[in-house]
Amino acid sequence: MNLFDIIYDGQAQYLQRAEEMVAKVVAEKGKETPVKFPGTAYALPCIYAITGKKITNVGELEDALALAKEKIHRTNYLQDALDAGTASAMLAEIIEAVKYVYDELPYAGRHVEDLNTTDVRYLGHITDAEVRNFGVPLVTDDIPGVAVIIGEAKDAETLAGIVKDYQGKGLLTFMVGKVIDQAIEQKIKMGIDLRVIPLGYEIESVIHVVSVAIRASLIFGATPPGDFLAHRTYTKNRVKAFVNVFGPWDNKIIAAGAAAIELGFPAVTETFINEVPTLLLHQPDNSKVVATSLEARNIKIKVTEIDCPVAVSSAFEGERVRKDTMFAEFGGNKTECWELVTTGDVAEMEDHKITVVGPDIDDAMFEGKDVVRLPMGVVVKVGGKAMQKDFETVLERRIHYFTNYIEGAMHVGQRNIAWIRLTKEAFEKGFRLRHIGEVLYAKMRSDFDKVVDKCEVTIYTNAEDVKRLGEELVKPIYAERDERMGALTDESVDEFYTCLLCQSFAPSHVCVVTPERLGLCGAVSWLDAKATKELDPTGPNQPIVKGEAIDERLGRWDSVNEVVARDSQGAVEAVTLYSILEDPMTSCGCFECICGIMPEANGVIIVNREFGDTSPVGMTFGELASMTGGGVQTPGFMGHGRFLIGSKKFMSAEGGLQRIVWMPKELKDDVAERLNKAVKEMTGIENFADMVCDETIASDSEAVLEFLESKGHPALAMDPIM
Ligand code: SF4
Ligand code: NI
Ligand code: NI
């Protein structure tokens, strides 16, 4: 069979199965039965993007079949063969959708609460919130690429080596087929948080990763549904995915490969196939498959040499360390634990000096103990000609990420509420406290090379030092910084900053970052932007010289408008910084929270990405989020960072923080302290957070209103919001 016949045959097999399954589900469930994947606002996302049609019930699956068939023309033209790939993708999505009609959770992995164990078998459909979670790491190149592994490798060790290699490089890896069992056998750490995602055993489940790429285009790119060429251009240019096929392939796998190629994702097979240059490649040597794949997609990995016995990769950032696997613990309310970055005098510093003062985790005193518990103080001293005091907090916050990158280490919190856990496995591999210093040293030097010429790390573990230095050295520095930060307002600075990082996925989106309004992903503060400008002068953060405001209430500046118009290539001509209704700032898609108006309460609700239920306006986070994003202005909806809840500039044009009437409890508790303080200073109202409703009190409109009335919520007495 030639390559085209292989693709057509694979496509015919999908068609047959899809037709049988649709006929069956029509007969057994009736045409009115709803069809949907969980947690998405985009119906069957691939079919929606390709055709513009939202398939919502069993009857419409018949229409979807007809749409797929329109793509099928058996000729010897390459484009027709690729169209057969696209048809196969649509048919696979239909097949998967039918599975979800019969069973709300056809993929057992979703029943497993703890995704960080090897019990995770397969996960199936990925929700919109999960796709959005990938937004920031993808734009920062923290996730440099996406690997899709299909089939069965020669042996489990080989497979494990390849998956670990991708994981160690920070890639996102999806698996389909027996490779999943091989990874389980080799105890690969899996789960969405660990960037190794088993989808399912049947080839059709590969559609769930195609759906991730397509939704990146719908969500971040605001690409119109139905304009498949635009979606293909988007995925080809912006989603750095590729496919690896292990073991003997069958025709269905190759038809799926054709679908991938049509989206711009090259496929590499282990078993011989007639190659198509740059698109379909044959690589029989397993030790070269990673290099071949990265090269095919032009993915460049920055390597930092680190002296450490366990892997250090951003893929391990989400790893949890639970009690049963824990070896040592620092902080977490049991002992004191703090961390500090200070600036030293370069002339007096000794680069790469790493010191542990006090007992290490292998100290004799811990013999026979269940768990090693120690206080910890970490001082990272940096020096360099371009280093500025203001950057200390920026570097210090990175300690959290860098420590988390260590396989077998968990870091929570910051400053003097830091909390670190290490696993038994890491200890057995030879990990000691010095290695925390090695990791911090190496990452500070490589990530902040423009400002850090020398770096020293000292780790204190004896109670006396930790306590004394905590009081004498650390606290006064925190206090001084807090004071400076408190005085930092939009009025007190001459420059705001742009952030264009998300343009790699949302080409017309521009964030304007000010001292009182951080980037909507929550990851870029004004100081971060300022530091990034220093580190990377032509990079994503550029100053906007503020000048006079045209309208102070709305937060309208000529300077801001000019820069936004320029950097969005004319897509957006004017934004305000303090209004949700008049020319609000655009969103990319990776916002932590979405704020929307609840007209009957004369206020707004805020929903964070982690919250899965329906909000009082009748929409979930995903549904609210789909109203905006992709660099489009949508008055009445605003994506923003958690930290904005507590800023006096939070939609201040419409009355500000006191308009907030509802938030999920977890979010409310998280922001309560800053929120209460800001509202008190602005209005004199005490404990404002207690007046804000949450899902444990009420989520339906009427009951929310009753609650607000009982509390005398200020929004009820304010001018009409619309
Ligand atoms: Fe993206 Fe804005 Fe965050 Fe920059 S600040 S990474 S543009 S969301
Ligand atoms: Ni970790
Ligand atoms: Ni973004």
Side-chain angles (χ1 to χ4, degrees), residues 502 520 588-590:
C502 282
L520 49 83
C588 43
C590 61

Side-chain angles (χ1 to χ4, degrees), residues 135-136 139 220 501-502 506 509 520-521 587-591:
V136 174
V139 298
F220 302 116
L501 257 183
C502 282
H509 171 68
L520 49 83
C521 56
S587 305
C588 43
C590 61
F591 37 85

Side-chain angles (χ1 to χ4, degrees), residues 649-693:
K649 294 297 194 304
F650 174 86
M651 48 177 273
S652 54
E654 283 84 29
L657 295 167
Q658 24 164 0
R659 286 280 191 189
I660 303 173
V661 295
W662 190 94
M663 280 190 267
K665 176 118 178 36
E666 182 270 321
L667 178 64
K668 188 166 86 174
D669 290 347
D670 185 40
V671 301
E673 203 182 311
R674 289 184 63 244
L675 176 62
N676 285 341
K677 183 160 175 279
V679 174
K680 168 103 204 282
E681 284 169 13
M682 293 167 81
T683 67
I685 295 171
E686 300 268 0
N687 294 326
F688 174 71
D690 294 344
M691 298 176 160
V692 177
C693 194

Side-chain angles (χ1 to χ4, degrees), residues 344-417:
D345 179 352
V346 195
E348 284 164 18
M349 288 175 62
E350 181 192 328
D351 188 42
H352 203 167
K353 184 173 165 196
I354 291 162
T355 322
V356 178
V357 183
D360 205 327
I361 50 180
D362 56 359
D363 197 277
M365 68 196 241
F366 298 119
E367 240 161 79
K369 287 250 165 69
D370 267 0
V371 55
V372 171
R373 231 180 265 292
L374 279 168
M376 185 185 278
V378 179
V379 180
V380 178
K381 194 190 274 186
V382 294
K385 276 199 292 293
M387 180 63 198
Q388 297 179 24
K389 268 226 155 296
D390 269 354
F391 301 159
E392 287 177 355
T393 52
V394 174
L395 271 59
E396 191 176 289
R397 247 200 12 218
R398 300 300 294 171
I399 293 179
H400 166 71
Y401 297 95
F402 296 158
T403 313
N404 260 332
Y405 289 176
I406 300 167
E407 182 181 9
M410 176 180 84
H411 184 287
V412 179
Q414 42 153 340
R415 303 225 298 194
N416 56 354
I417 51 164

Side-chain angles (χ1 to χ4, degrees), residues 673-719:
E673 203 182 311
R674 289 184 63 244
L675 176 62
N676 285 341
K677 183 160 175 279
V679 174
K680 168 103 204 282
E681 284 169 13
M682 293 167 81
T683 67
I685 295 171
E686 300 268 0
N687 294 326
F688 174 71
D690 294 344
M691 298 176 160
V692 177
C693 194
D694 65 51
E695 82 283 7
T696 65
I697 304 164
S699 287
D700 74 287
S701 169
E702 240 170 75
V704 171
L705 280 179
E706 256 169 54
F707 172 81
L708 298 175
E709 269 158 31
S710 76
K711 289 284 175 182
H713 192 292
L716 300 175
M718 290 169 79
D719 287 343

Side-chain angles (χ1 to χ4, degrees), residues 306-526:
I306 304 177
D307 174 10
C308 181
V310 296
V312 180
S313 157
S314 55
F316 295 108
E317 192 190 318
E319 167 199 41
R320 313 265 138 77
V321 177
R322 276 156 224 291
K323 279 210 181 96
D324 52 337
T325 58
M326 174 171 86
F327 181 82
E329 184 169 44
F330 313 84
N333 288 328
K334 303 221 171 58
T335 59
E336 204 173 331
C337 186
W338 49 258
E339 54 204 23
L340 182 76
V341 169
T342 61
T343 314
D345 179 352
V346 195
E348 284 164 18
M349 288 175 62
E350 181 192 328
D351 188 42
H352 203 167
K353 184 173 165 196
I354 291 162
T355 322
V356 178
V357 183
D360 205 327
I361 50 180
D362 56 359
D363 197 277
M365 68 196 241
F366 298 119
E367 240 161 79
K369 287 250 165 69
D370 267 0
V371 55
V372 171
R373 231 180 265 292
L374 279 168
M376 185 185 278
V378 179
V379 180
V380 178
K381 194 190 274 186
V382 294
K385 276 199 292 293
M387 180 63 198
Q388 297 179 24
K389 268 226 155 296
D390 269 354
F391 301 159
E392 287 177 355
T393 52
V394 174
L395 271 59
E396 191 176 289
R397 247 200 12 218
R398 300 300 294 171
I399 293 179
H400 166 71
Y401 297 95
F402 296 158
T403 313
N404 260 332
Y405 289 176
I406 300 167
E407 182 181 9
M410 176 180 84
H411 184 287
V412 179
Q414 42 153 340
R415 303 225 298 194
N416 56 354
I417 51 164
W419 174 27
I420 300 169
R421 279 179 168 186
L422 301 173
T423 58
K424 291 175 190 148
E425 195 190 335
F427 178 78
E428 276 150 25
K429 285 185 179 162
F431 190 87
R432 299 295 178 266
L433 295 183
R434 169 174 71 83
H435 296 114
I436 294 181
E438 291 285 355
V439 171
L440 294 179
Y441 168 79
K443 297 298 283 178
M444 288 293 173
R445 284 297 312 264
S446 75
D447 283 24
F448 297 102
D449 56 335
K450 291 271 181 357
V451 295
V452 178
D453 298 332
K454 284 185 183 173
C455 174
E456 295 175 354
V457 182
T458 313
I459 297 174
Y460 298 92
T461 59
N462 54 52
E464 209 183 301
D465 283 336
V466 175
K467 194 167 174 11
R468 181 178 51 82
L469 291 170
E471 290 298 325
E472 291 170 13
L473 171 73
V474 177
K475 275 209 185 132
I477 293 179
Y478 290 161
E480 189 192 309
R481 280 185 194 161
D482 286 346
E483 202 174 313
R484 249 188 71 68
M485 283 305 296
L488 206 54
T489 60
D490 288 3
E491 289 75 26
S492 73
V493 298
D494 296 326
E495 290 175 341
F496 297 154
Y497 286 89
T498 57
C499 186
L500 304 183
L501 257 183
C502 282
Q503 287 203 345
S504 55
F505 282 92
S508 56
H509 171 68
V510 180
C511 266
V512 179
V513 180
T514 78
E516 291 176 90
R517 182 168 186 172
L518 80 170
L520 49 83
C521 56
V524 179
S525 70
W526 183 83

